[in-house]
Amino acid sequence: LHTEDQPVDMNLPAAPGASEAPPCPAPSIGRPHKTRSHAGTRLALQRDRRPQPSRPLTVLMTTDTVGGVLTYAVTLARALRRYNVTVVLAAMGGPLNDCWRAQVKALDNVICFESAYRLEWMDDPWSDVRQAGKWLGQLAGRFGPDVMHFNNYAHALLDWACPTLVVGHSCVCSW
């Protein structure tokens, strides 16, 4: 079990036969793009080349371990690896299960911290929300992120030293 003070060791080899694929196939949107010539293939590859930053960027991203937000966070972290982005993943709501822990360990651009802080939509969460805010501040001080990416609402209101991004997935309380 990794607690808020223990990062997941990213240097461990993946288990034999382990895959980086999510547990379920990701949905595809639209039809795959088909090129008709080698020139079209080269052009498609050139369009996909984006400038890389001179130093790796760091994103501190929150996630919960209870719902679909973890799927989103791991999928995004996997995609950001291609752009040399380090993701400090701050998981709240309880420990990752073994399947998710294996997927996170397989991502060499992710440093994962797990905690049991209650989420803002849980019963009587506010003491934990305050403590989690302090914990996130410690992680931000330690890693100096370029962007704070929140998959929850409450912590985005705190005073951060870098730009913040909030993604609203859903509100369990309104269901």
Side-chain angles (χ1 to χ4, degrees), residues 27-81:
S28 61
I29 299 173
R31 296 173 53 192
H33 175 72
K34 294 182 182 179
T35 56
R36 298 186 192 280
S37 70
H38 293 293
T41 302
R42 279 193 304 273
L43 182 58
L45 289 174
Q46 287 172 348
R47 279 190 304 241
D48 198 35
R49 291 186 186 139
R50 294 175 180 91
Q52 296 293 314
S54 59
R55 65 173 181 81
L57 295 176
T58 300
V59 174
L60 196 159
M61 183 188 317
T62 64
T63 187
D64 68 55
T65 59
V66 178
V69 175
L70 186 56
T71 302
Y72 167 85
V74 171
T75 301
L76 180 56
R78 184 178 293 115
L80 290 173
R81 180 176 53 181

Side-chain angles (χ1 to χ4, degrees), residues 92-113:
M92 295 176 273
L96 299 174
N97 67 32
D98 291 340
C99 178
W100 280 114
R101 191 171 289 119
Q103 285 193 51
V104 170
K105 282 183 180 182
L107 297 173
D108 60 357
N109 67 318
V110 175
I111 304 166
C112 183
F113 293 85

Side-chain angles (χ1 to χ4, degrees), residues 123-172:
D123 289 334
D124 194 27
W126 303 117
S127 176
D128 277 15
V129 169
R130 279 189 294 282
Q131 291 302 313
K134 292 175 185 176
W135 174 61
L136 292 170
Q138 292 169 346
L139 291 175
R142 181 174 171 187
F143 291 98
D146 298 287
V147 174
M148 297 290 290
H149 178 133
F150 295 99
N151 288 302
N152 63 321
Y153 304 104
H155 299 116
L157 298 173
L158 299 175
D159 188 23
W160 301 104
C162 61
T164 60
L165 167 70
V166 179
V167 177
H169 295 273
S170 63
C171 175
V172 176

